[in-house]
Amino acid sequence: MINAYSLVQPGLLLTAGSAADRYGRKKMLIAGLALFGIGSQVAGLADSTGQLIAARAGTGVGGALLLTTTLAVAMQILAPEENPRAIGIRSAVNALGFATGPLIGGFMLDHFWWGAIFLINLPVVALGLVAVVAVVALVPESKNPRGDRPDLLGALLSTIGMGSLVFAITSGPEHGWTSEQVLVSGASRWSCSGSSPGGSAGFRTRCWICTSSGTGGSRERWPVRC
């Protein structure tokens, strides 16, 4: 139950980024917000452990879409010289969330019903959806013009590989780094990644947009072949 979100979200990062490139980053951003909100509501009102695990997995899917689209959409509506500032603000907000999230969660558990730790996400999601819809004219749709067909095998392998890596990292302190489940998970990660430890098999061509603060926020596209 605890790892349902932490396994699904990083496991789907590459797949979510590929889907956003192919079908449109703004569409995937809205879909991510909707999935995150629905998952949070279902988790807060869950009547069984199975429902809670499924809801947390659903919020993990939404979280993967949000992580891979928020900065990409910001790059579309901001001038190149403002990109470093946007990256800095996003990084600061993420760091603030990691630091204050456990504190807010503990406060909610001490003073409210346990489901409130999930329902507190709903106002944030609602504000995000309103903001995206309100500035729809300022947020142009962007996607890969090549429109390659979906690489389902690559998506499956990347999800298994990333999920196995996260599972090995989270299980190591509890079960031991040389335990069978950690070693098997680590081996699954490398076997799904093909011959390149840093790459992911099946994603044939990806174009990564990198922003360099040392060049005045200019963007460079680096084609990467896996």
Side-chain angles (χ1 to χ4, degrees):
M1 179 174 62
I2 296 175
N3 292 330
Y5 180 87
S6 60
L7 288 177
V8 172
Q9 189 214 44
L12 290 176
L13 282 178
L14 292 178
T15 303
S18 178
D21 290 343
R22 183 172 291 108
Y23 301 114
R25 300 177 181 93
K26 185 173 68 174
K27 292 178 183 176
M28 292 297 103
L29 173 61
I30 295 175
L33 284 168
L35 284 173
F36 197 88
I38 293 173
S40 296
Q41 182 174 6
V42 174
L45 302 177
D47 294 327
S48 66
T49 303
Q51 291 179 2
L52 181 57
I53 293 175
R56 291 294 289 158
T59 57
V61 177
L65 289 171
L66 291 176
L67 275 180
T68 55
T69 55
T70 49
L71 191 58
V73 170
M75 297 296 102
Q76 300 296 319
I77 62 177
L78 297 176
E81 59 272 14
E82 295 178 343
N83 290 345
R85 182 184 304 174
I87 295 174
I89 293 175
R90 181 178 182 270
S91 300
V93 171
N94 285 340
L96 183 63
F98 280 118
T100 61
L103 299 177
I104 296 176
F107 176 83
M108 299 293 290
L109 288 176
D110 283 341
H111 295 82
F112 301 96
W113 162 59
W114 67 267
I117 63 175
F118 302 113
L119 298 180
I120 195 175
N121 293 327
L122 297 182
V124 179
V125 171
L127 287 175
L129 286 172
V130 169
V132 172
V133 173
V135 298
V136 65
L138 300 177
V139 184
E141 185 60 279
S142 61
K143 57 185 176 179
N144 185 357
R146 293 180 56 184
D148 297 336
R149 64 181 178 83
D151 189 354
L152 300 181
L153 176 60
L156 176 62
L157 291 175
S158 70
T159 301
I160 296 175
M162 292 294 291
S164 298
L165 175 62
V166 174
F167 182 77
I169 294 174
T170 56
S171 300
E174 179 180 357
H175 300 283
W177 295 106
T178 58
S179 63
E180 181 180 355
Q181 64 186 71
V182 172
L183 294 178
V184 170
S185 298
S188 299
R189 185 267 184 267
W190 295 117
S191 63
C192 290
S193 299
S195 59
S196 174
S200 188
F203 285 86
R204 300 184 181 89
T205 303
R206 288 296 310 276
C207 190
W208 302 91
I209 301 178
C210 301
T211 304
S212 172
S213 58
T215 57
S218 61
R219 289 186 294 176
E220 299 178 359
R221 292 183 177 270
W222 295 351
V224 177
R225 291 188 179 275
C226 300

